[in-house]
Amino acid sequence: FEKEFVQFLVINGITAEDWDKMKSHEPDHAEKMIGLFSDVVFEGILRKTEFIEWKSKVEIRTFHCLADKMVLVGLKADAGAGVDFLDPAFIEQAVANPPAGIRTYTTDKPYAKRREEEIFDMLENGCVISDGKLYKAIATTL
């Protein structure tokens, strides 16, 4: 991100010489600038995020993060189904040939906050950014 950071400094009117002085003489201000840059980078990542997912031993929730709403497609095992959605090999087998005792479900909801804020909140609560392959695989079984 060096190139992007240099662009960020230029946009904020900070030359290379100014940056060197700031790091030496105003380390708190330099840290603040790094924090602002991190926020900009993370916001960009969230804007580009299209799919996220959450897994437990007995349930998978995959989300397609559209512009105006989030679509959930999931798998949930009945009690005693003997599943392990934390095992990638089991997930692959279950999606290809769902065993008895697994329900597939879907729903959607509009965002209650800004799209990026909701995605961030979900990441804070255990979701991870994904490539969407699992979402698409589950969606085809509906």
Side-chain angles (χ1 to χ4, degrees), residues 8 52 94 111 118:
F8 173 79
I52 57 177
Y111 298 109
E118 288 209 28

Side-chain angles (χ1 to χ4, degrees), residues 2-108:
E2 183 177 347
K3 179 181 172 188
E4 291 85 354
F5 186 63
V6 169
Q7 290 173 340
F8 173 79
L9 292 175
V10 169
I11 289 169
N12 285 283
I14 301 170
T15 65
E17 184 179 315
D18 293 338
W19 176 245
D20 287 337
K21 286 179 187 175
M22 188 185 301
K23 289 189 302 184
S24 298
H25 303 296
E26 301 175 78
D28 290 342
H29 188 59
E31 285 293 321
K32 181 180 174 188
M33 293 303 293
I34 292 170
L36 290 172
F37 175 70
S38 296
D39 292 346
V40 168
V41 170
F42 196 61
E43 180 78 15
I45 291 168
L46 293 175
R47 259 189 253 111
K48 292 177 184 175
T49 297
E50 190 174 353
F51 296 96
I52 57 177
E53 58 190 48
W54 175 88
K55 296 177 195 164
S56 73
K57 189 171 175 96
V58 296
E59 187 172 11
I60 295 175
R61 297 178 191 156
T62 62
F63 303 88
H64 190 180
C65 306
L66 302 170
D68 60 337
K69 66 182 178 180
M70 194 172 287
V71 179
L72 162 66
V73 174
L75 295 175
K76 185 166 184 164
D78 295 336
V83 304
D84 185 0
F85 288 132
L86 298 176
D87 177 1
F90 180 83
I91 294 172
E92 189 175 324
Q93 175 63 32
V95 170
N97 186 17
I102 294 180
R103 295 183 289 116
T104 306
Y105 60 95
T106 187
T107 189
D108 62 74

